[in-house]
Amino acid sequence: MTDLTPNEVTRLTRRSRALALVLGVLGSGVNAGLRSLPYDWPPTDSFALQLTLAVGTPGLVLVLTTLVYVAVLWRSCRPPKRGFALGRYGGQPAFAAPMSPLYVGGTCVTQLCVVGLYAPIPRPGSNDWSDPSLRVMIVLVAVMAGLLLVLSIAMLFRPPHLRITANGLVVSTLGSRVIPWDALAYGGPTGNEVRRGALWLQARGGTLGLGGPHVRDLHGRLPLPGFYWFRLKLGATLVDPVFLADALRTYRDDVPRRSAIGTAEELASLLAPARDALAGRP
């Protein structure tokens, strides 16, 4: 497994955004064009064929554009690699682990294709706009399409899912929560706590941002006294879970190193033990 440098994370994020917008707009335009066809297209006496094409063709456009997006970026994102982007949070330098472009961009492409189906384009020969009740419905659908468009674009530019700062671990979903280092159990997580796209952490009860507490982990082990197990989901995060666990354990236990978080030199130091371990394998 190769490392992912901060510059590579930035380039991958930008490339995935551009590709998602291009494919999404393309799919949306095709579906909007299909949406504008007459109700009796194609000219055939088979209602079943008309219905199949009317429903199946937009669905095929959605699937194909999403598959093309995933195919182009799959090797860059899977499996997740060791490394962080360099970012900031609260005015402080931070290591950042963004959401995987496969998830973020793929969802954006799918949503933009759906927006094309909601476009308020009148069909030839239809009198939808002359009926007041239908006019209201068309306007409501257009508003829904606009909201979905805004949501799709916002999702592409959402903040990183995880950030590591001198103050603690920042988890961003709908909002951002800072989990102080002192809220995590001494010793931190190890590779044994990584399973199925999730990282099991021991934190004090009432810690917000990590989900609900568990009295046992995936191996059935009890936490340390005064702590609970929390399952941090990582399935859509662009970082190797074991590398993330090592980083959290390092900064939980080594207080002096926290001041260097967010610098290229500290990231290189963080990656060095993993490279040495790989070099020592037979």
Side-chain angles (χ1 to χ4, degrees):
M1 179 187 295
T2 59
D3 299 334
L4 201 60
T5 66
N7 288 335
E8 289 173 336
V9 176
T10 301
R11 287 197 299 268
L12 176 59
T13 301
R14 291 175 178 173
R15 182 161 63 100
S16 66
R17 287 172 178 170
L19 182 62
L21 289 174
V22 169
L23 290 176
V25 170
L26 177 63
S28 182
V30 172
N31 280 346
L34 294 171
R35 173 76 172 75
S36 67
L37 292 174
Y39 287 111
D40 58 354
W41 183 89
T44 176
D45 295 332
S46 174
F47 175 74
L49 177 59
Q50 290 180 339
L51 182 62
T52 300
L53 291 175
V55 176
T57 306
L60 183 62
V61 171
L62 185 152
V63 171
L64 287 179
T65 51
T66 304
L67 285 178
V68 169
Y69 175 86
V70 171
V72 171
L73 295 176
W74 182 264
R75 292 188 62 183
S76 300
C77 302
R78 302 296 301 175
K81 299 176 177 62
R82 296 182 301 269
F84 295 120
L86 301 182
R88 301 187 69 83
Y89 180 79
Q92 293 183 325
F95 292 138
M99 297 292 288
S100 172
L102 293 179
Y103 171 76
V104 175
T107 303
C108 178
V109 171
T110 301
Q111 291 176 338
L112 288 177
C113 288
V114 174
V115 168
L117 294 175
Y118 288 157
I121 301 175
R123 294 177 183 268
S126 70
N127 58 353
D128 295 346
W129 288 94
S130 61
D131 188 326
S133 59
L134 286 178
R135 194 182 307 138
V136 172
M137 184 178 297
I138 290 172
V139 171
L140 290 177
V141 170
V143 171
M144 290 175 56
L147 292 176
L148 187 59
L149 176 62
V150 172
L151 178 63
S152 303
I153 303 303
M155 190 168 187
L156 276 182
F157 295 91
R158 63 177 295 170
H161 180 212
L162 301 175
R163 279 168 287 192
I164 297 176
T165 71
N167 293 330
L169 172 66
V170 181
V171 181
S172 297
T173 49
L174 295 178
S176 295
R177 292 280 188 181
V178 180
I179 292 88
W181 293 116
D182 290 344
L184 302 176
Y186 184 82
T190 68
N192 293 327
E193 279 75 60
V194 177
R195 179 72 62 86
R196 296 178 183 175
L199 178 62
W200 288 81
L201 300 170
Q202 290 190 58
R204 299 188 186 280
T207 301
L208 300 177
L210 294 175
H214 301 265
V215 295
R216 296 181 184 272
D217 72 343
L218 72 167
H219 299 294
R221 298 175 302 180
L222 294 171
L224 296 174
F227 292 86
Y228 290 89
W229 287 104
F230 291 85
R231 185 175 182 268
L232 179 62
K233 296 180 180 179
L234 300 175
T237 308
L238 189 66
V239 66
D240 174 52
V242 176
F243 173 74
L244 174 64
D246 291 342
L248 294 179
R249 184 172 63 255
T250 297
Y251 297 122
R252 169 59 184 88
D253 299 345
D254 196 343
V255 177
R257 289 187 63 174
R258 296 177 189 172
S259 60
I261 289 176
T263 64
E265 295 77 13
E266 176 61 16
L267 180 58
S269 177
L270 200 61
L271 288 165
R275 293 197 187 107
D276 295 342
L278 286 178
R281 288 181 181 178

